[in-house]
Amino acid sequence: MMKQDRENKIRADLMVTGDYVLTLNYEKKVLEKGALAITGDSIIAVDKASVLKEKIEAREILDASGCLVMPGLINLHTHGAMTCFRGLADDLPHQEWLHEHIFPAEAHHLSEETVYWGTMLAIVEMIKSGTTTFCDGYFYEDGAARAVAGSRIRAVVAQGVIDFPAPGVPDPKINVKAAEAFVFRWQGKSPHLIPSIFCHSPYTCSPETLTRTKEVCREHGILFQIHLAETMNEVEEIQKRYGRRPVEHLRALGLLDAETLCHHAVWVTNEEIELLKQNGVGVSHNPESNMKLASGVAPVPEMLASGIKLGLGTDGCASNNNLDMFQEMDTAAKLHKVHWRDPTLCSAVQVVAMASTGGASALGMGGILGSLESGKKADIITIDLNKPHLTPMYEPCSHLVYAARGADVRDVIIDGRMVMRQRQLLDIDEQEVMGKVREIAAAIR
Ligand SMILES: [Zn+2]
């Protein structure tokens, strides 16, 4: 609610002014010398600074002169605690990487404590590179939930489900129950933490596990997540076992709806894209992980043309190896151009939309996140344009995708509260976090 004061000015808690305000609203409006006003956790007005200053009296002003102001980015797919395994095993075949390195490292070294510190490190890295919302899935996810609840970042936090002994869930017979218990523990506990369940994949989860998990998700009104059609091997394996392709398999099990989020969708046909679109399923595109593991090139131009809910993710740090969404945008824009030998594909504007509004709608949060508009949550970042590699600037989205990097993010606001000012984190001791993860790495080594 806007309150008028004695001088007839509306009061706000915070006003952010910048050289450019990239709203990413429906008209993709860019305001030169723009500003936005925030009260509580929400944006109450966005306009030219001169106009807003006439109408609004803010308790505090964040002067972002020389900066571009934009919505915080949304990392639609990651496994935060895998920061602990950053650079542990590179340049290996996918199955060898997973079964001989990642699964054993997880089995021996994961605990709620290591997941907590690994996720804390992910949160530090993400805030410092402009991500204000991330969608996570892993084991010992109480550790991740504790990290999210204790920091200010917004996150969908999902307990992993897999049909073999997993870290924290040694008996696979109770994997779905354990995930449901996680949801009970965390639902409604923190306004910026949204619990979810993540079935690892259709080749590591039986049809019974998948359908039981989806039932639990429906009961609690939460997001069901799954890695889907990531590799050609997976498609062959699912066809061999069930006589249908992965998306068809999920449809046959009744899993496709607007509260399902599929990660990767690399090996999907046009018919499968149509199925995902018709059922309102969200998809995350993770180009750097797909490239590093040589999984393949997702048909993103077709997905964009279909109007599917498509966002961008980094995937975990073992297959990327960082969580910088600016680097991910750059890769997404270029990969499809070279793959199809068509430089008009995946424009900068489309890619920025994937990392913001696309991710928000895939999470079912399009009404509150993804753009700078009155009524939406005040999740905002500023980009310092006073850098050689960002000079001059003709078109903001082009800069964000092809020239900027995470380190150019200057300030971060989440839910209307400053969490990073002039690159200094206000609530987290980043030296302590890095120190703890180095200790974990020493044990892994
Ligand atoms: Zn993943």
Side-chain angles (χ1 to χ4, degrees):
M1 279 298 280
M2 294 188 181
K3 286 183 196 149
Q4 305 278 131
D5 73 3
R6 283 190 213 97
E7 294 154 7
N8 247 357
K9 277 196 176 181
I10 296 156
R11 279 177 289 163
D13 293 329
L14 176 64
M15 187 181 293
V16 184
T17 61
D19 283 9
Y20 302 89
V21 172
L22 185 69
T23 64
L24 301 181
N25 67 3
Y26 188 70
E27 299 110 349
K28 303 268 184 286
K29 202 168 186 178
V30 181
L31 295 158
E32 272 185 54
K33 300 286 172 207
L36 45 90
I38 298 160
T39 290
D41 63 1
S42 301
I43 299 168
I44 58 163
V46 186
D47 212 324
K48 292 268 193 193
S50 55
V51 176
L52 280 200
K53 282 177 177 168
E54 281 291 306
K55 293 194 296 196
I56 294 174
E57 184 75 44
R59 219 157 31 80
E60 191 190 345
I61 292 195
L62 173 66
D63 178 0
S65 303
C67 294
L68 179 144
V69 180
M70 66 177 292
L73 300 173
I74 296 174
N75 186 344
L76 193 56
H77 178 49
T78 192
H79 314 285
M82 291 187 97
T83 51
C84 294
F85 306 133
R86 191 196 314 267
L88 175 69
D90 297 326
D91 312 324
L92 296 166
H94 186 266
Q95 289 304 305
E96 186 184 332
W97 170 80
L98 192 62
H99 290 278
E100 287 174 35
H101 297 271
I102 298 305
F103 285 160
E106 288 177 339
H108 291 110
H109 298 287
L110 283 189
S111 65
E112 192 183 320
E113 204 54 16
T114 55
V115 168
Y116 171 80
W117 287 110
T119 308
M120 282 302 295
L121 182 61
I123 290 170
V124 167
E125 188 185 350
M126 284 190 278
I127 291 174
K128 294 199 86 172
S129 54
T131 292
T132 54
T133 296
F134 72 105
C135 184
D136 196 70
Y138 210 43
F139 302 110
Y140 282 116
E141 199 66 356
D142 288 283
R146 268 205 292 131
V148 169
S151 63
R152 299 209 180 276
I153 201 161
R154 193 184 303 284
V156 172
V157 183
Q159 169 67 28
V161 167
I162 195 162
D163 278 341
F164 51 79
V169 189
D171 179 5
K173 284 201 282 301
I174 61 154
N175 54 9
V176 182
K177 263 207 168 68
E180 186 174 24
F182 167 83
V183 174
F184 271 122
R185 281 196 292 280
W186 291 99
Q187 204 159 31
K189 282 285 160 63
S190 159
H192 52 106
L193 187 166
I194 303 113
S196 160
I197 305 180
F198 195 130
C199 280
H200 178 267
S201 68
Y203 61 93
T204 54
C205 293
S206 68
E208 299 73 48
T209 298
L210 294 173
T211 48
R212 275 210 337 270
T213 302
K214 185 65 188 176
E215 264 170 44
V216 170
C217 289
R218 285 196 175 115
E219 250 169 62
H220 295 274
I222 59 169
L223 199 62
F224 169 91
Q225 300 183 57
I226 188 164
H227 292 121
L228 190 69
E230 181 177 1
T231 63
M232 247 181 346
N233 280 345
E234 174 189 334
V235 177
E236 281 163 19
E237 181 64 32
I238 296 300
Q239 277 180 317
K240 206 160 73 193
R241 278 196 226 169
Y242 308 111
R244 52 198 180 218
R245 297 177 59 87
V247 177
E248 264 294 336
H249 180 52
L250 260 57
R251 183 179 65 161
L253 298 174
L255 306 185
L256 300 186
D257 64 28
E259 277 76 47
T260 288
L261 175 57
C262 299
H263 302 294
H264 300 304
V266 172
W267 296 97
V268 290
T269 62
N270 283 341
E271 291 72 36
E272 286 174 294
I273 293 172
E274 195 48 38
L275 263 182
L276 294 170
K277 155 82 181 153
Q278 277 170 6
N279 289 282
V281 177
V283 174
S284 79
H285 176 42
N286 308 273
E288 293 195 357
S289 172
N290 298 157
M291 290 164 72
K292 185 160 183 273
L293 299 175
S295 304
V297 179
V300 167
E302 284 85 346
M303 290 190 204
L304 286 169
S306 78
I308 206 167
K309 295 191 292 193
L310 181 65
L312 198 62
T314 57
D315 208 348
C317 260
S319 64
N320 187 302
N321 296 356
N322 65 39
L323 305 173
D324 185 340
M325 285 288 285
F326 286 86
Q327 218 175 308
E328 204 71 33
M329 289 197 285
D330 184 49
T331 304
K334 289 172 181 165
L335 172 61
H336 304 284
K337 290 172 169 63
V338 67
H339 183 70
W340 301 102
R341 292 184 300 283
D342 179 352
T344 68
L345 294 177
C346 286
S347 70
V349 171
Q350 285 177 312
V351 171
V352 171
M354 280 166 61
S356 52
T357 48
S361 66
L363 292 176
M365 294 196 260
I368 55 167
L369 299 180
S371 60
L372 301 183
E373 294 176 82
S374 181
K376 285 204 171 181
K377 297 285 184 196
D379 289 5
I380 297 155
I381 62 175
T382 71
I383 315 289
D384 186 356
L385 297 173
N386 191 29
K387 302 266 180 90
H389 63 280
L390 299 178
T391 304
M393 186 174 83
Y394 299 106
E395 212 283 305
C397 283
S398 158
H399 255 38
L400 293 172
V401 172
Y402 299 119
R405 355 178 148 116
D408 297 322
V409 175
R410 198 190 78 170
D411 314 290
V412 177
I413 295 167
I414 302 174
D415 261 345
R417 306 259 314 245
M418 295 281 300
V419 297
M420 182 169 81
R421 190 193 291 271
Q422 300 278 358
R423 294 208 60 71
Q424 294 303 310
L425 295 180
L426 303 184
D427 310 299
I428 304 173
D429 180 347
E430 69 179 279
Q431 290 302 331
E432 183 197 14
V433 174
M434 288 191 288
K436 290 284 187 189
V437 174
R438 283 190 197 108
E439 280 171 25
I440 295 166
I444 293 171
R445 194 175 283 123

